[in-house]
Amino acid sequence: MQLTKLLPLAFTVAIALAPPSWAEPVASGVPGMIFDHDVPVTMTDGVQLRVNIYRPEKPGHYPVLMLMGPYGKDTSMADAPAYKTSWAKLIAKYPDLCKKSSCRYIRFEAPDPERWVANGYIVIHADVRGAGASPGVLDPFSPRETEDYATLITWAARQPWSSGKVGLFGTSFQAINQYQVAALQPEGLAAILPWEGAFDQYREIAYYGGLLNVAWEYWWTHQVVPNQNGNAETPLVDSINGGKDTGTALSPEILKQNRVDPVEAFAKHPFDGAYYHQRTPDGGRITVPLLDVANWTDWSTEGYRAAASKQKWLRIQTGDHLTPFYSEESIALQKRFFDHFLKGENNGWEKEPRVAVQVRRPDGATWRYASAWPLPGTRWEKWYLDAATSSMGSGLPTAAPAQKSYPGLGDGLTFTSAPFETETEFTGPFGVRLWVSSSTADMDIFAAVRLIDPQGRDVTFMGNSDPNVPLGLGYLRVSQRAVDPAKSTEYALFHPHLGSAPMTPGQMYPVDVEFTEPTSIVIPKGYRLALTVQGKDFGYGPGASTVHAKDYDLPNSNNSGLFFAAHPNRNPAVYGGTDTVATGGEHASYLLLPRITAP
């Protein structure tokens, strides 16, 4: 089933119209809130998924906020081994969080239902098929899972306590699947608010620049499989009734049959084809009002760019993946958006700037508001590389031809600018054009754009999932260097990733490194930019000379972002050759940067 196709007529008639028939609500312990626990909802194939419903005690018709995920709708962040660190960071950041709520119902990457029920909303949290109390095969982001979500949305819109309008809400996984189901245009869907979620299943999840992303194996093993339906050995505890909330115990053999390991599936599909097309939405069919909250480090402006919605907004922030979602500023923003589109309140939301970006500085960040993305007036500058001097600058287009080589699995090459003479801002999409050759039939490029302070230390920032990230990370498997001009822009060349074209050893090739996210930085006088090009994962190891941006006093880590490539498809005999970068003359290599000038 293609994700972009309309749902069959059977979908609309399979949803029960009768009043709910589940047991009496569980005592919520929260004044004014009714809690319906483990409510069964029948899918189009007869499988019953389980949902939790939090609703106002006062009778009426209320708009619905919904999310569907694999992490356990009854799993407390404070107690689950996989989430304890996240919870500790959240409470450290907002020590008064549990004074505004009992915090009993906060789940990983999910809104606190108490804060929303008190504001006149119903919150529905569903376990995806194959997770928690929902039986079936656990297959993340599959067409079957997306159809389930569409069924749940329309079911919720037709319930007697519903106003008929449903908004989708949540972060990460619960943002990614918002884009997917919005393309199906289910009855009742009125607005979506994907908070830091990927859009393109091949380029933002499975493969970065054609390199398999094995970081998902950790996510799968530690955060998803423990909550698989039927997993009697789960360490997760049902915070509502105690015990386990993973249904009837199943044998290890059946459990394995009932789940699809995403990294194994990705490895079987190395190129962008039908498998990913079924999981990447058709942006032209996403027409509901949309607020996309992205992060400078991982995920994602692509949903905003692709969606056909006439009412869409983009907000790009800095900082970690979880805590900003729960800030008072963020909750106020979220409520204004949903109050306008689900309740019809005339609260001035339509006057909200279409784009808001948090511009980074070494000593903090400030918000800038604009009418479009990329920012109006952006000027793309080419900062040319010089292999002879390991330097780069906007004034080097006529540098003499030069080459420099490095071991494919070594530390690579670094090109550094002169100290900036005046404060300079770069905010927006960016890229790297290189002329390269290899002693083997292929090579991998890992590119890191870095900020260096006057003392020669790397300035790092808090990323989506890593406490130390540079200004940007890009990737490309050179055998997948082909570009589709029809889908490319000056600042973002599109790699179709439809097949592999091996390199001829020793031959030079022009390649454009793939960056999935834009960047933002105001560079103070005396600071420098650096570009590192190597054939392995970039990271700051122990003892690295780094200084953290303001307010991020965190330990060093060895990998940056949501990607790493340590996998058997990285054959040292192929990717451990001698690689070469050429610069100057007919082999001009450069870093393309989005210059912002004062209005």
Side-chain angles (χ1 to χ4, degrees), residues 401-451:
Q403 296 184 8
K404 186 167 285 189
S405 300
Y406 60 94
L409 299 180
D411 292 331
L413 308 176
T414 294
F415 302 87
T416 307
S417 76
F420 278 71
E421 296 180 356
T422 59
E423 184 175 271
T424 304
E425 179 185 346
F426 298 109
T427 295
F430 66 112
V432 170
R433 157 60 68 93
L434 298 173
W435 281 85
V436 298
S437 69
S438 178
S439 63
T440 66
D442 206 354
M443 65 181 283
D444 287 340
I445 297 173
F446 296 73
V449 180
R450 301 155 56 192
L451 180 64

Side-chain angles (χ1 to χ4, degrees), residues 155-462:
W155 172 86
R158 294 181 176 184
Q159 294 309 300
W161 29 250
S162 172
S163 70
K165 290 188 174 183
V166 178
L168 305 184
F169 197 22
T171 77
S172 194
F173 187 104
Q174 290 130 170
I176 297 167
N177 61 14
Q178 292 182 46
Y179 292 123
Q180 291 179 300
V181 75
L184 296 184
Q185 300 182 351
E187 175 192 331
L189 184 60
I192 63 173
L193 203 168
W195 192 284
E196 297 191 16
F199 182 86
D200 188 315
Q201 286 277 322
Y202 182 86
R203 290 161 186 81
E204 294 185 284
I205 294 180
Y207 287 81
Y208 280 25
L211 281 77
L212 179 64
N213 185 4
V214 299
W216 289 104
E217 198 62 58
Y218 180 90
W219 168 82
W220 177 249
T221 302
H222 292 83
Q223 294 187 337
V224 179
V225 171
N227 190 52
Q228 184 182 2
N229 179 261
N231 183 0
E233 303 302 318
T234 179
L236 305 179
V237 176
D238 180 351
S239 65
I240 306 303
N241 296 323
K244 310 296 183 184
D245 193 32
T246 49
T248 303
L250 300 174
S251 69
E253 293 75 21
I254 298 298
L255 285 172
K256 188 172 182 179
Q257 293 174 19
N258 278 4
R259 62 179 182 252
V260 179
D261 184 309
V263 175
E264 290 182 3
F266 298 159
K268 293 176 182 177
H269 301 90
F271 305 116
D272 189 13
Y275 176 86
Y276 300 103
H277 296 169
Q278 290 179 338
R279 291 158 174 80
T280 297
D282 177 355
R285 290 189 49 79
I286 300 177
T287 58
V288 295
L290 158 71
L291 171 57
D292 174 10
V293 178
N295 192 301
W296 293 122
T297 309
D298 296 311
W299 300 352
S300 169
T301 60
E302 187 58 31
Y304 172 83
R305 294 178 61 249
S309 306
K310 293 182 179 179
Q311 295 176 298
K312 63 179 182 178
W313 287 261
L314 174 66
R315 184 179 177 93
I316 311 177
Q317 61 189 18
T318 189
D320 74 271
H321 181 51
L322 186 69
T323 57
F325 181 73
Y326 297 96
S327 74
E328 291 301 314
E329 176 194 18
S330 295
I331 292 174
L333 179 83
Q334 297 156 6
K335 286 184 176 179
R336 285 187 62 234
F337 175 77
F338 283 126
D339 284 352
H340 183 73
F341 289 109
L342 300 189
K343 292 183 175 181
E345 290 188 5
N346 184 17
N347 59 10
W349 177 266
E350 69 280 1
K351 298 178 182 179
E352 187 78 16
R354 290 303 178 106
V355 174
V357 298
Q358 201 169 20
V359 179
R360 295 184 294 192
R361 297 172 177 265
D363 60 351
T366 56
W367 284 103
R368 175 180 289 117
Y369 303 94
S371 60
W373 179 258
L375 299 178
T378 302
R379 185 175 80 239
W380 275 273
E381 294 183 347
K382 293 179 180 178
W383 285 59
Y384 292 90
L385 312 182
D386 185 353
T389 60
S390 298
S391 64
M392 66 176 176
S394 58
L396 298 175
T398 59
Q403 296 184 8
K404 186 167 285 189
S405 300
Y406 60 94
L409 299 180
D411 292 331
L413 308 176
T414 294
F415 302 87
T416 307
S417 76
F420 278 71
E421 296 180 356
T422 59
E423 184 175 271
T424 304
E425 179 185 346
F426 298 109
T427 295
F430 66 112
V432 170
R433 157 60 68 93
L434 298 173
W435 281 85
V436 298
S437 69
S438 178
S439 63
T440 66
D442 206 354
M443 65 181 283
D444 287 340
I445 297 173
F446 296 73
V449 180
R450 301 155 56 192
L451 180 64
I452 311 297
D453 77 356
Q455 288 71 46
R457 301 173 299 177
D458 274 271
V459 179
T460 64
F461 298 85
M462 182 67 205

Side-chain angles (χ1 to χ4, degrees), residues 114-181:
E114 292 181 46
R115 302 289 297 271
W116 290 90
V117 169
N119 201 49
Y121 285 91
I122 292 169
V123 177
I124 298 180
H125 191 164
D127 282 331
V128 298
R129 180 180 295 241
S134 294
V137 175
L138 180 57
D139 188 2
F141 306 121
S142 64
R144 173 71 259 180
E145 189 177 271
T146 305
E147 183 177 338
D148 289 345
Y149 205 177
T151 301
L152 286 169
I153 291 166
T154 300
W155 172 86
R158 294 181 176 184
Q159 294 309 300
W161 29 250
S162 172
S163 70
K165 290 188 174 183
V166 178
L168 305 184
F169 197 22
T171 77
S172 194
F173 187 104
Q174 290 130 170
I176 297 167
N177 61 14
Q178 292 182 46
Y179 292 123
Q180 291 179 300
V181 75

